[in-house]
Amino acid sequence: MSDAKLISYTLNDFSTEIEMDSFLNLMEKHGDEFYKKLKKHGLVRWRVNQVWNKGGGYALSSIFEYKDEKAFEKCIEEIKNFQKEHESYFNKINMKRTSSRSINMLDFKY
C-alpha cells in the first residue's frame, strides 16, 4: 500500500499553449522549493502532467498525494501562500482549475 492516504487531482485548463508553457516554466523555476515546503507537512508525492487527449485544448494535471488529512490541510495553506506570493502571475493568465479530492482505497504497486 502506498504511503499516500489522501489524493488531490487538479485539472488546469489554459486558453493557449503559451499560457500552459508559462505555467510550466513557473513550476520548473519554483517547483523544487515548493515541493520541499509541502513535503515537510506530509506531502508524499507531487506530479505535473500534460493532458494529451484534450482535442485541441491545453491542459495540465497536478496530482498531490498526502500522508493523511492533517498533511492535506497543512499543505493547502502552503499552496495558498504560493498562489499569493505569485499573485501577479496568476492574475495575468487565463486558467480554469477543477479539483477533485479522494481517499486512497486500493493501490496496485508492486
Side-chain angles (χ1 to χ4, degrees), residues 26-82:
L26 179 76
M27 292 298 102
E28 287 176 349
K29 184 176 181 180
H30 301 285
D32 190 56
E33 177 186 341
F34 179 59
Y35 172 74
K36 287 176 182 174
K37 286 181 181 180
L38 297 178
K39 188 174 180 176
K40 287 179 187 176
H41 295 297
L43 183 72
V44 176
R45 186 175 183 186
W46 171 44
R47 294 186 308 270
V48 177
N49 308 294
Q50 183 174 357
V51 180
W52 54 269
N53 65 337
K54 288 292 287 178
Y58 305 100
L60 299 171
S61 66
S62 297
I63 302 170
F64 296 87
E65 297 180 16
Y66 303 97
K67 184 174 75 173
D68 54 28
E69 187 175 348
K70 188 183 286 188
F72 167 77
E73 290 170 1
K74 288 180 180 178
C75 287
I76 287 298
E77 290 305 313
E78 282 294 338
I79 292 169
K80 288 178 183 178
N81 290 340
F82 180 83

Side-chain angles (χ1 to χ4, degrees), residues 86-99:
H86 300 281
E87 186 174 24
S88 64
Y89 169 80
F90 286 107
N91 287 338
K92 292 177 186 173
I93 64 168
N94 187 16
M95 176 175 60
K96 178 184 172 190
R97 224 181 243 146
T98 308
S99 294

